[in-house]
Amino acid sequence: MKLEDLLLLGALGVVCGVCSSAAHAAQNPSAAPPSPAVAPSSRDSQPVPQGPSLSLADAEARALHNQPRLAAESLRAQAMGKRIQESRSAYFPQLSGSLTAVKANGDTAVAAGAVTTSSTSTRVAGGLALTQLVTDFGRTSELVRSSRFAAQAASQHTEDVKQQLIRDVDEAYFATEAAESVHGTAEAVLAFRKTSLRQLTALAQSQLRSTLDVQFAQVLVSEAQMAVVHAGSGVQEARAQLAAAMGEDNVPDYVLAEQPEPPLLEEDVAIYVREAINTRPDLKALQLQALAAQQFAKSESKLNYPDVNLLGVAGEVPERDHTLEQNYGAAGINIHVPVFNGGLYSGRAAEARLRAQAAHRDVSSLTLLITRDVRTNWAQARDAYLQIQVAHDLVDQTGVALRLAQARYDAGLGSIVELNQAELSQTSALISAASARFDYLSARAALNYTLGTLR
């Protein structure tokens, strides 16, 4: 049975109790009317909102469209994708042009700073230089693979941010619904307690009840007013959180649509653990980063391999001295073989291997955290689901206790303190029942994020 049905039955019970008490008071003037502690449905106690309707899917779409965090992460992923092009550029010819003008001090040569000498001549010349990689024994291909894995990891990071935003919206949406439900319940309780206070005040003025009963009723009204104030603040805070989650500056008076119940939880939590390990985008991102680090380590291990390049130059020297020809051109091949660089390449290779090993350990660490989070959130969602029925049962039980306390009070066997305690117990049960369903929906949203199934 839904909370609204329970509250409606409670309201009908209060109406019947008031009618029977009025008849009883006509026969026994010392009896007081029942204290109407059972609140009606919050939908009946408040005017119908006139703001725009907002479903959960609309709220999620607004967040994905408005949030700058997702746009920034998407741009970073696109930027990371450009590294593939950067790495692949080594496969293509490298063509550059030069324009040179030199005024030499006669016929001389650069003699210091190098083993060989290079003659310098007065000239104005322009030309092109072409370099084409023949082979570097797979180092460039390893760099391309590493860049591709890194770009895929960045895309998974973007997906993870997207799911975080949806999770935040879902939790804020359900928190707002819960706050509004509690606020409606608190207002209904306040309305009924004010009615009870007016009735007791009238009876006290007729000397049918003591002023002590009136004072206790006034205390209950004040407590209900305080609950309404706190519930109203909770609604404003929840709506502010929802607006922030959607990436909006203002907080419109949205009418939130009721969401259907999610499917029941499986009893075997291991099913969810396996699903999370297969679908979590942040885990996929770490796995891809580990692969990228592994490929980069392979490329760094090939730094000591030679690389072979074809070279070609051509140009014209319109202004020159007699030692230079008007046109020039040459082609050649260059084999670069590293011999000794003070351990630079071996150090870079060792660093890359250690970073790759650390990346694989990060994957194992996150897998453990995901397993823990899935089990924790599954337990919390299961607990929240069970609390829905417990809260409804508690409303029934406190209703029975209140009716018994009311009967004892009417018969002069119980005190106003006993009746007030029964009213407080039922108010607490009503407020717990008002938010129990939304607490469960929020817990399911957190579990779905942990599973990586929010879309």
Side-chain angles (χ1 to χ4, degrees):
M1 184 176 293
K2 292 186 176 180
L3 175 61
E4 287 79 1
D5 299 331
L6 292 171
L7 295 176
L8 182 57
L9 290 177
L12 293 175
V14 169
V15 173
C16 294
V18 172
C19 294
S20 63
S21 177
H24 180 65
Q27 300 176 358
N28 184 9
S30 62
S35 178
V38 182
S41 171
S42 60
R43 298 180 183 273
D44 299 331
S45 64
Q46 300 184 83
V48 178
Q50 300 298 323
S53 177
L54 180 70
S55 67
L56 182 60
D58 292 337
E60 293 172 349
R62 288 172 181 266
L64 298 180
H65 179 267
N66 296 335
Q67 280 288 358
R69 180 183 173 192
L70 180 60
E73 198 65 30
S74 178
L75 291 172
R76 292 190 187 96
Q78 295 179 35
M80 188 63 68
K82 296 301 180 181
R83 291 193 177 183
I84 302 175
Q85 179 181 347
E86 296 171 9
S87 301
R88 294 179 65 246
S89 64
Y91 287 134
F92 300 97
Q94 310 295 311
L95 182 65
S96 60
S98 299
L99 180 63
T100 304
V102 175
K103 175 63 177 177
N105 184 17
D107 295 333
T108 184
V110 178
V115 176
T116 59
T117 60
S118 176
S119 62
T120 57
S121 304
T122 299
R123 67 196 184 277
V124 175
L128 298 174
L130 177 67
T131 303
Q132 172 63 61
L133 175 68
V134 177
T135 181
D136 58 0
F137 295 91
R139 183 171 185 270
T140 298
S141 62
E142 300 293 352
L143 288 174
V144 172
R145 293 191 189 97
S146 177
S147 300
R148 185 174 290 112
F149 285 133
Q152 294 173 1
S155 297
Q156 290 298 322
H157 274 305
T158 303
E159 177 64 24
D160 183 45
V161 171
K162 175 182 176 181
Q163 295 207 12
Q164 291 177 22
L165 295 178
I166 295 176
R167 175 204 59 188
D168 294 343
V169 169
D170 289 359
E171 292 181 348
Y173 190 94
F174 296 134
T176 303
E177 286 191 314
E180 291 178 346
S181 180
V182 170
H183 184 254
T185 302
E187 285 189 331
V189 170
L190 175 60
F192 276 96
R193 287 186 180 177
K194 285 182 176 180
T195 301
S196 178
L197 175 61
R198 287 194 298 269
Q199 293 171 349
L200 287 175
T201 301
L203 291 174
Q205 291 173 352
S206 302
Q207 296 183 349
L208 299 177
R209 281 296 181 186
S210 68
T211 56
L212 179 61
D213 292 352
V214 177
Q215 290 299 322
F216 273 109
Q218 181 61 59
V219 170
L220 288 178
V221 169
S222 299
E223 290 179 346
Q225 290 174 337
M226 186 65 68
V228 170
V229 171
H230 285 306
S233 299
V235 170
Q236 296 302 320
E237 292 175 4
R239 285 191 170 274
Q241 290 290 342
L242 178 59
M246 292 190 299
E248 296 183 348
D249 296 331
N250 56 349
V251 188
D253 189 18
Y254 289 120
V255 179
L256 304 185
E258 185 174 354
Q259 300 304 307
E261 291 287 343
L264 294 177
L265 289 170
E266 298 287 346
E267 292 295 330
D268 187 6
V269 68
I271 298 175
Y272 295 112
V273 172
R274 290 192 294 269
E275 182 179 3
I277 292 176
N278 292 329
T279 58
R280 279 283 291 263
D282 53 345
L283 181 60
K284 290 181 180 180
L286 270 186
Q287 292 170 341
L288 290 168
Q289 286 177 351
L291 291 175
Q294 183 178 354
Q295 294 298 325
F296 183 74
K298 289 182 179 180
S299 70
E300 292 292 91
S301 67
K302 295 180 179 180
L303 284 170
N304 287 317
Y305 291 9
D307 57 82
V308 181
N309 292 275
L310 294 177
L311 309 175
V313 293
E316 184 177 358
V317 191
E319 296 293 333
R320 63 194 183 282
D321 61 19
H322 66 282
T323 62
L324 300 176
E325 295 291 336
Q326 181 176 0
N327 301 314
Y328 69 91
I333 184 171
N334 183 66
I335 302 176
H336 174 261
V337 182
V339 178
F340 179 74
N341 52 26
L344 173 63
Y345 290 169
S346 60
R348 287 174 56 176
E351 177 190 356
R353 285 195 302 271
L354 292 174
R355 290 187 180 277
Q357 294 173 8
H360 284 290
R361 296 300 186 274
D362 288 338
V363 172
S364 301
S365 177
L366 182 58
T367 302
L368 292 175
L369 292 178
I370 289 175
T371 302
R372 180 204 64 186
D373 292 343
V374 169
R375 293 181 180 275
T376 300
N377 289 339
W378 175 84
Q380 292 175 351
R382 188 169 181 270
D383 178 71
Y385 178 75
L386 295 175
Q387 285 187 19
I388 296 176
Q389 186 60 46
V390 173
H392 290 169
D393 293 341
L394 185 59
V395 170
D396 291 337
Q397 294 164 5
T398 54
V400 173
L402 177 58
R403 287 192 292 272
L404 292 176
Q406 183 68 60
R408 286 173 53 83
Y409 181 70
D410 292 342
L413 300 177
S415 66
I416 187 65
V417 176
E418 179 182 299
L419 180 59
N420 288 350
Q421 185 60 45
E423 291 179 354
L424 291 174
S425 297
Q426 189 177 55
T427 300
S428 177
L430 287 170
I431 291 177
S432 297
S435 59
R437 178 177 180 271
F438 304 110
D439 291 341
Y440 170 62
L441 292 175
S442 180
R444 284 301 299 265
L447 176 61
N448 290 337
Y449 169 73
T450 309
L451 298 177
T453 57
L454 290 175
R455 293 291 184 272

